[in-house]
Amino acid sequence: FMCLYSGVKQWFWVDMNKHHQDLPMWEKNFNPRNPGKSEASDDSLVDGEFVDMKRYPEVQNISYWKYPQQAGDCVWTPAKMAHYVRSFGRNLGHMVMFQDREVLDTECTPPKEPIPLADHDLMWDFPGEGSGKGLIKMGWSHWGTVRQSLAQLIRKTKEGKVGYKGFSAWARQQGFPKTVLKATFAVLAGGGKSITLQTLFAPSSDQGFRDLLTAVDRDEL
């Protein structure tokens, strides 16, 4: 969702199910056979303002939707829908992105009262804190799945905890750089010598995972 408070935006949407062969992408992450299993978001090689029709002649086959967003409008972009946006004048708004692979917990008891947005878990915030402060993190990794992977490792231990040696071995298998492991461990362990499920899911651990994933995603910018 993109909600606009001031200014004007012009939106363009392209159905990737129909035009995945006509719109060249950098990483080709879109899975036409099963869009829900597409690896990640992506960017197009085409400059939306100056389309090179000699280099990308297939773009002429693309049909699209467009919408002029005014202040007070909220626009929803479906998952895996390619989009391009122009902004005019002073623009102020906010965007909320959802993880389309999350599964509803049917045993979860719904709240009796509305919960403020500030009390919800956010995967990536802006401007944020730590090493990712000030970086636009659209399309960055889902660190919640990384935390679940570490939780599975902890549940398999007899002691119900993992020390630095076990954590670093797990982190290297995940491909995380060594330079951030000690600092991340200290946060996830709550300053102690071991990571438990209690410290792993503590609110303070969120920033630890953000910093851990920033070390990976920032290198891909």
Side-chain angles (χ1 to χ4, degrees):
F1 282 96
M2 164 59 78
C3 294
L4 189 63
Y5 302 134
S6 67
V8 176
K9 291 183 181 294
Q10 188 175 37
W11 286 78
F12 299 86
W13 292 276
V14 174
D15 185 352
M16 289 298 288
N17 289 293
K18 182 179 180 181
H19 294 296
H20 62 274
Q21 293 182 328
D22 299 322
L23 186 61
M25 308 299 285
W26 275 103
E27 299 180 1
K28 297 180 175 60
N29 289 326
F30 182 75
N31 184 341
R33 295 184 178 180
N34 192 335
K37 292 188 177 181
S38 298
E39 289 300 320
S41 59
D42 208 341
D43 292 298
S44 177
L45 295 164
V46 179
D47 185 336
E49 295 298 316
F50 303 96
V51 180
D52 189 339
M53 297 302 292
K54 291 184 177 180
R55 189 173 184 180
Y56 307 112
E58 62 273 20
V59 172
Q60 65 185 313
N61 301 321
I62 295 177
S63 58
Y64 58 87
W65 295 273
K66 64 179 181 178
Y67 176 73
Q69 184 182 17
Q70 306 289 333
D73 292 344
C74 287
V75 172
W76 173 59
T77 298
K80 311 302 183 291
M81 178 77 75
H83 55 281
Y84 182 77
V85 188
R86 291 173 176 155
S87 298
F88 303 92
R90 175 181 178 273
N91 267 240
L92 177 65
H94 81 270
M95 176 176 284
V96 178
M97 301 181 70
F98 299 90
Q99 291 292 335
D100 61 338
R101 297 184 184 181
E102 293 296 327
V103 179
L104 176 65
D105 184 355
T106 58
E107 297 182 359
C108 179
T109 302
K112 296 181 179 180
E113 299 292 335
I115 300 176
L117 185 61
D119 292 341
H120 285 73
D121 292 333
L122 293 177
M123 193 59 53
W124 295 102
D125 54 358
F126 184 85
E129 300 177 359
S131 59
K133 185 175 182 178
L135 298 178
I136 297 177
K137 309 169 187 70
M138 292 177 62
W140 281 28
S141 302
H142 184 356
W143 55 259
T145 59
V146 178
R147 176 155 61 183
Q148 289 295 340
S149 173
L150 183 54
Q152 291 179 2
L153 175 64
I154 295 174
R155 292 188 180 101
K156 291 179 180 178
T157 65
K158 294 181 180 180
E159 301 82 7
K161 59 184 179 180
V162 171
Y164 180 74
K165 184 177 180 180
F167 167 76
S168 60
W170 167 85
R172 287 195 298 270
Q173 289 180 345
Q174 302 292 321
F176 295 121
K178 296 180 180 179
T179 54
V180 297
L181 297 188
K182 289 186 177 180
T184 300
F185 177 82
V187 174
L188 300 185
K193 297 182 178 180
S194 301
I195 302 174
T196 64
L197 291 178
Q198 183 177 0
T199 63
L200 182 68
F201 287 97
S204 59
S205 74
D206 293 359
Q207 189 57 46
F209 282 104
R210 291 192 185 104
D211 289 339
L212 182 63
L213 270 294
T214 294
V216 177
D217 289 338
R218 189 171 188 170
D219 290 341
E220 298 178 357
L221 293 176

